[in-house]
Amino acid sequence: MTTSVLHALEQPSEYGVTPHAAGPEVSVVMPCLNEARTLGACLEKIQRTFRQHAIEGEIVVADNGSSDGSQNIARSMGARLVEVVQKGYGSALMGGIAAARGRYIVMGDADDTYNFTHIPLFLEKLRHGDELVMGNRFKGGIEPGAMPALHRYLGNPVLSFLGRVFFRSNIGDFHCGLRAFSKSGYEKLGMRTTGMEFASEMVVKATLTGLRVAEVPTTLSPDRRGRPPHLRTWRDGWRHLRFMLLYSPRWLFLYPGILLMFVGAAMGAWLLPGPRTVHGVTFDVDTLLHAMVAVLIGFQAVAFSVFTKIYATTEGLLPKDLRLESLFKVITLETGLVVGALLSVAGIAGSLYAVQVWKAHHFGQLNAITTLRIVMPSVTAMALGCQIIFFSFFLSVLGLARKR
């Protein structure tokens, strides 16, 4: 079966075209920015793979403003060209995917580093029900010089490990640019990012949404463009990490907050009766003050985790979480007001007791260390009580927005 050669569509969209309802089985989408030296080789490999495996497919080149004639190469070799005005790797891919007419989408870079003859491996998984199929370069093989040592031994392994921990994903190579997915599965994700973190967003959202995700081994070859890649190691690495943190309020806010509250409360309880000496080092009210502050900061972090989760779910950035529904049933405005009021009253009572102690000394000079053991827990209780009250009110506001 020959390759389907499909041309530009009639109606432009924000990405350049509007897809037809009917189309081929597979669309290969390639983001392109000045890839004239390698684009032709990639197109030839894809077309040859289509012919050899009787795949009814199309090739969509999502050009992001090339100035080296890449557009002419795409047209001359029978690919559909989609002009994407908004800059960025993610923007180009979203434009190309929106234009694609296939039931399944294969995305891959136009730098001739990925082996497009592996398309049948991805397609086989999709035909058997998987909705996202990731390539794994570490299992398939990385040729010498294909990936910088910093990326191969630190960047990719660390970010992929964090992705597995944060989101309980089973993907071993989060950032492989050769991947395939069903168009229907992709539409469930609501992709937002326009830069290199698009790759992470797809895996994260697919995992959180509950799509069937699989992996196949693939290879990586050296870049043959003869120029520096668009990827910027530290900038794009940070953007990937930042994205994963923002999409995981548990690891960004909740777990650190719980840890701070636990350590602060334990340290405070240990020091409240009096100073403690460990291996010749004495811990006193200075450490107690830090412990009290840790409790307050920890609670703020926990509150931010709840706010972030609710906001992200309400705005469609994260899928709905049944645990949030349970949270609204347990942590009501009235419950928060009662708990906050009790803590505040306890803090005020402690402060009044401190005033009585001061009065017993005729409002004269006091032993600061002794008095601080009364004042610091009291002030912490008042501050924590007020925070809980404010937290409860704001949580109720978010609940109203959620219902709306």
Side-chain angles (χ1 to χ4, degrees):
M1 185 181 297
T2 60
T3 304
S4 297
V5 180
L6 303 173
H7 300 286
L9 301 172
E10 294 83 357
Q11 298 298 323
S13 70
E14 62 176 309
Y15 296 112
V17 295
T18 300
H20 287 167
E25 182 184 24
V26 180
S27 296
V28 178
V29 177
M30 305 174 67
C32 179
L33 178 59
N34 296 324
E35 317 284 2
R37 299 185 67 171
T38 54
L39 178 59
C42 293
L43 295 175
E44 190 278 328
K45 289 178 183 178
I46 297 169
Q47 291 167 342
R48 176 160 35 92
T49 301
F50 283 174
R51 289 193 299 269
Q52 291 175 349
H53 295 272
I55 298 172
E56 181 71 20
E58 67 168 343
I59 305 173
V60 178
V61 175
D63 190 78
N64 213 197
S66 296
S67 57
D68 65 348
S70 295
Q71 301 94 327
N72 295 330
I73 295 173
R75 292 191 187 99
S76 67
M77 295 190 66
R80 271 201 309 131
L81 182 70
V82 178
E83 301 281 359
V84 182
V85 177
Q86 185 177 359
K87 297 297 182 182
Y89 175 76
S91 296
L93 282 168
M94 284 190 281
I97 294 168
R101 296 179 288 194
R103 177 184 176 187
Y104 302 122
I105 310 294
V106 176
M107 61 174 257
D109 299 339
D111 57 5
D112 203 19
T113 58
Y114 289 111
N115 192 343
F116 287 105
T117 64
H118 289 170
I119 288 175
L121 299 177
F122 292 83
L123 188 55
E124 181 183 2
K125 292 282 188 180
L126 293 172
R127 287 169 173 167
H128 283 83
D130 290 308
E131 296 172 281
L132 170 62
V133 184
M134 295 289 300
N136 190 318
R137 299 164 293 181
F138 297 98
K139 290 182 178 179
I142 300 173
E143 295 181 16
M147 184 184 293
L150 184 62
H151 297 186
R152 183 171 184 174
Y153 300 109
L154 181 64
N156 275 297
V158 169
L159 289 174
S160 295
F161 170 76
L162 291 177
R164 290 192 295 273
V165 172
F166 288 0
F167 305 104
R168 300 172 187 172
S169 171
N170 60 354
I171 297 301
D173 187 1
F174 253 61
H175 305 103
C176 182
L178 184 59
R179 57 185 71 180
F181 42 89
S182 65
K183 190 75 176 286
S184 59
Y186 171 83
E187 290 170 349
K188 297 175 185 177
L189 303 182
M191 301 292 290
R192 301 291 184 90
T193 53
T194 60
M196 288 292 183
E197 63 271 33
F198 181 91
S200 296
E201 181 185 9
M202 180 177 288
V203 182
V204 167
K205 283 191 170 180
T207 303
L208 294 177
T209 307
L211 298 188
R212 287 183 56 179
V213 182
E215 263 190 336
V216 295
T218 191
T219 58
L220 186 70
S221 302
D223 191 330
R224 297 180 174 88
R225 292 173 295 184
R227 60 165 174 78
H230 299 303
L231 180 68
R232 296 292 178 265
T233 298
W234 296 107
R235 181 198 66 182
D236 292 319
W238 162 244
R239 290 176 70 169
H240 282 286
L241 177 59
R242 179 184 65 182
F243 171 82
M244 288 194 289
L245 287 171
L246 293 176
Y247 265 70
S248 181
R250 291 178 303 158
W251 288 93
L252 182 59
F253 296 121
L254 181 62
Y255 296 156
I258 292 175
L259 180 63
L260 272 175
M261 290 186 69
F262 175 78
V263 171
M267 184 67 71
W270 184 56
L271 289 173
L272 204 56
R276 304 282 186 172
T277 302
V278 179
H279 299 297
V281 179
T282 300
F283 299 91
D284 207 341
V285 290
D286 295 343
T287 307
L288 179 61
L289 176 60
H290 285 84
M292 298 295 100
V293 172
V295 172
L296 295 176
I297 295 176
F299 177 79
Q300 290 174 355
V302 171
F304 269 108
S305 74
V306 177
F307 297 152
T308 304
K309 183 73 172 181
I310 294 173
Y311 174 80
T313 303
T314 302
E315 294 298 316
L317 300 175
L318 289 175
K320 291 184 178 181
D321 191 336
L322 294 178
R323 289 173 296 184
L324 285 181
E325 303 298 328
S326 302
L327 181 68
F328 276 106
K329 294 177 181 178
V330 175
I331 306 179
T332 63
L333 173 60
E334 292 75 18
T335 302
L337 293 178
V338 170
V339 173
L342 289 175
L343 276 172
S344 298
V345 169
I348 293 172
S351 297
L352 291 176
Y353 174 70
V355 172
Q356 289 298 319
V357 172
W358 188 24
K359 180 180 178 182
H361 288 76
H362 307 291
F363 299 105
Q365 189 172 0
L366 294 171
N367 184 325
I369 293 179
T370 302
T371 307
L372 284 174
R373 279 195 163 77
I374 303 172
V375 172
M376 282 195 291
S378 302
V379 171
T380 301
M382 283 191 290
L384 190 59
C386 290
Q387 286 186 9
I388 291 175
I389 291 172
F390 298 150
F391 167 81
S392 302
F393 274 115
F394 192 54
L395 193 63
S396 296
V397 171
L398 291 179
L400 293 174
R402 178 184 57 84
K403 293 175 182 178
R404 174 179 60 81

